[in-house]
Amino acid sequence: MKERERFLKIRGQKIRFSLRTRLTLLIGTVLLCSIAIALGLTKLLEWLIPSVSIVPQWIQLNVFSLVVATAATQYLSKIFFDPIKALNNGMQKVADGDFSVRLETNATSLEIQEMFAGFNMMVKELSSTEILQTDFVSAVSHEFKTPINAIEGYTTLLQSTDNIDEVENEYIEKILFNTKRLSSLVSHILLLSKLENQTIQTNRETYRLDEQLREAILALESAWGPKEMEFDVDLETITYSGNKTLLYHVWSNLLSNAIKFSPDGSTITLRLKTAPHGIVFSVEDQGIGLSEEAQKHLFDKFYQADTSHKSDGNGLGLALVKKIVTLCGGTVSAENRAEGGCRFTVMLHTDIGYTQTVA
């Protein structure tokens, strides 16, 4: 309400001269002042240095007028265009999903004050809507989880009975498959909702990062085994202090995506190494790569670049990866490889999680 009241208060004030009128008057004043100052400087220079009089007065006047007008224009442009720059930076942050940004100004112009107050009110409303939506989705997802688990449990029991025919067993398998997908979606939504309200990394423990990556590879054997895929693995022995459960989700998701989008018989390349400012993990596949549009929205919630694999995921995996890595004080990026496929790179900074290389 504070932003709305401030906006309405500013908007209710009467503006005597419009911004355009004031700018026009200021420019005219600057021109007149620059000519007057230049004329004074010309006379002063001729008095101090008589030999300067050999230079035509109109040239001296033009030079001094240009210098004074340039300096005055720089000052005026700062007054008028700095608020626009600040507004643009704020809009970029909002576009990236940061609704906590607020703009303050010392400008006396009512138009600029109204613009900033309107921006703050807009961001406040967007933030409230985002919180309401997140809370609603979280609450609904939580209520879904119990009946979904019940359906999955009873379906598993039906599958183990002996008095069902082949067709009935096929139906049961489809029910079980879809309930598992729905259960995974609900779990991801709940985890993402929890992480969005979390600002610091909790439940830290010290463990071997390279061993965790090997565990993630083995856990996904049911996915890469039938595709007869190979792994080119080069992992440094590294100890890391962080949230083991969350980071396992990162490795599992990135590996799962690499397996999903790689052709049968291809090779996935994994690298883990220390860098001057942290740890770098990369996973490369030999798939079709990412389109320009996909690279823009890859880490957005519910975005799926390849709709042909829509039944294999829910579009929340990479959004969770981004959130977890950011929470751990790191960065994640994706790029296409020159030889085909794409590369995901995770950077974990050493000033956030303690790391060391074990001999």
Side-chain angles (χ1 to χ4, degrees):
M1 291 301 294
K2 184 179 178 181
E3 282 80 4
R4 178 178 291 276
E5 289 172 1
R6 184 180 178 186
F7 173 74
L8 293 175
K9 181 179 178 181
I10 295 173
R11 194 174 188 182
Q13 296 182 37
K14 187 176 181 180
I15 301 174
R16 183 174 298 178
F17 297 106
S18 68
L19 187 62
R20 179 176 302 195
T21 302
R22 294 201 301 276
L23 182 60
T24 304
L25 291 173
L26 278 172
I27 291 174
T29 303
V30 167
L31 288 174
L32 291 175
C33 289
S34 63
I35 293 172
I37 294 172
L39 186 59
L41 289 173
T42 300
K43 296 296 183 181
L44 178 63
L45 191 62
E46 288 179 350
W47 179 71
L48 294 173
I49 310 175
S51 61
V52 175
S53 59
I54 60 175
V55 179
Q57 193 177 52
W58 67 271
I59 294 180
Q60 298 179 44
L61 191 62
N62 284 339
V63 170
F64 285 127
S65 296
L66 182 62
V67 171
V68 173
T70 301
T73 303
Q74 286 290 332
Y75 176 73
L76 288 176
S77 64
K78 182 178 179 63
I79 294 175
F80 281 95
F81 294 110
D82 276 8
I84 296 175
K85 184 178 179 181
L87 180 63
N88 180 62
N89 292 335
M91 292 172 66
Q92 289 291 337
K93 291 181 180 180
V94 173
D96 293 335
D98 181 7
F99 298 119
S100 64
V101 60
R102 296 293 185 274
L103 299 180
E104 299 294 336
T105 180
N106 296 321
T108 57
S109 170
L110 287 177
E111 288 93 340
I112 294 176
Q113 291 180 20
E114 182 179 349
M115 181 172 63
F116 275 37
F119 175 85
N120 290 338
M121 185 181 69
M122 176 194 71
V123 176
K124 177 69 174 177
E125 295 296 328
L126 287 173
S127 177
S128 300
T129 303
E130 179 75 7
I131 292 171
L132 181 62
Q133 179 183 349
T134 302
D135 289 346
F136 172 78
V137 171
S138 178
V140 172
S141 300
H142 190 272
E143 293 300 320
F144 275 174
K145 196 164 184 65
T146 300
I148 290 171
N149 289 340
I151 293 171
E152 185 177 343
Y154 285 122
T155 307
T156 304
L157 289 175
L158 282 174
Q159 198 175 35
S160 62
T161 57
D162 299 327
N163 56 344
I164 56 173
D165 57 32
E166 186 177 342
V167 176
E168 291 173 335
N169 187 61
E170 183 181 348
Y171 292 158
I172 291 173
E173 287 180 353
K174 288 181 179 180
I175 293 172
L176 192 59
F177 172 76
N178 284 286
T179 51
K180 286 181 177 179
R181 281 191 61 207
L182 194 54
S183 179
S184 174
L185 173 62
V186 170
S187 297
H188 283 174
I189 290 174
L190 290 172
L191 178 58
L192 188 59
S193 176
K194 177 183 177 182
L195 293 177
E196 284 179 340
N197 297 314
Q198 190 172 329
T199 56
I200 59 173
Q201 189 180 174
T202 58
N203 300 325
R204 287 192 181 191
E205 56 183 297
T206 302
Y207 64 97
R208 286 272 298 276
L209 203 56
D210 54 306
E211 287 297 331
Q212 187 181 47
L213 284 164
R214 292 186 181 92
E215 290 172 6
I217 295 172
L218 292 175
L220 291 168
E221 185 176 3
S222 60
W224 55 261
K227 298 180 74 172
E228 299 181 347
M229 302 179 71
E230 295 183 356
F231 286 85
D232 178 5
V233 180
D234 184 7
L235 308 176
E236 286 187 18
T237 304
I238 295 176
T239 298
Y240 180 77
S241 178
N243 191 309
K244 187 175 182 179
T245 303
L246 289 181
L247 279 174
Y248 182 85
H249 187 93
V250 171
W251 316 136
S252 178
N253 187 275
L254 293 179
L255 287 170
S256 178
N257 278 349
I259 295 167
K260 184 193 304 182
F261 295 108
S262 293
D264 293 359
S266 60
T267 301
I268 293 177
T269 304
L270 302 179
R271 296 289 183 267
L272 178 68
K273 59 183 180 180
T274 54
H277 301 291
I279 300 169
V280 178
F281 166 75
S282 64
V283 52
E284 302 176 2
D285 62 52
Q286 296 178 341
I288 59 174
L290 300 166
S291 66
E292 186 176 340
E293 182 68 17
Q295 291 185 54
K296 293 179 182 177
H297 303 285
L298 197 59
F299 297 102
D300 292 351
K301 288 182 284 188
F302 298 107
Y303 180 79
Q304 289 183 281
D306 186 357
T307 54
S308 63
H309 290 83
K310 218 165 187 178
S311 61
D312 299 334
N314 48 51
L316 285 177
L318 289 178
L320 275 169
V321 166
K322 175 78 172 178
K323 185 62 183 176
I324 293 170
V325 173
T326 302
L327 187 64
C328 293
T331 58
V332 57
S333 60
E335 60 184 344
N336 286 325
R337 301 167 64 230
E339 57 271 33
C342 68
R343 177 190 300 110
F344 280 85
T345 304
V346 174
M347 174 75 177
L348 297 174
H349 299 286
T350 52
D351 56 345
I352 303 297
Y354 167 75
T355 61
Q356 70 178 74
T357 302
V358 181

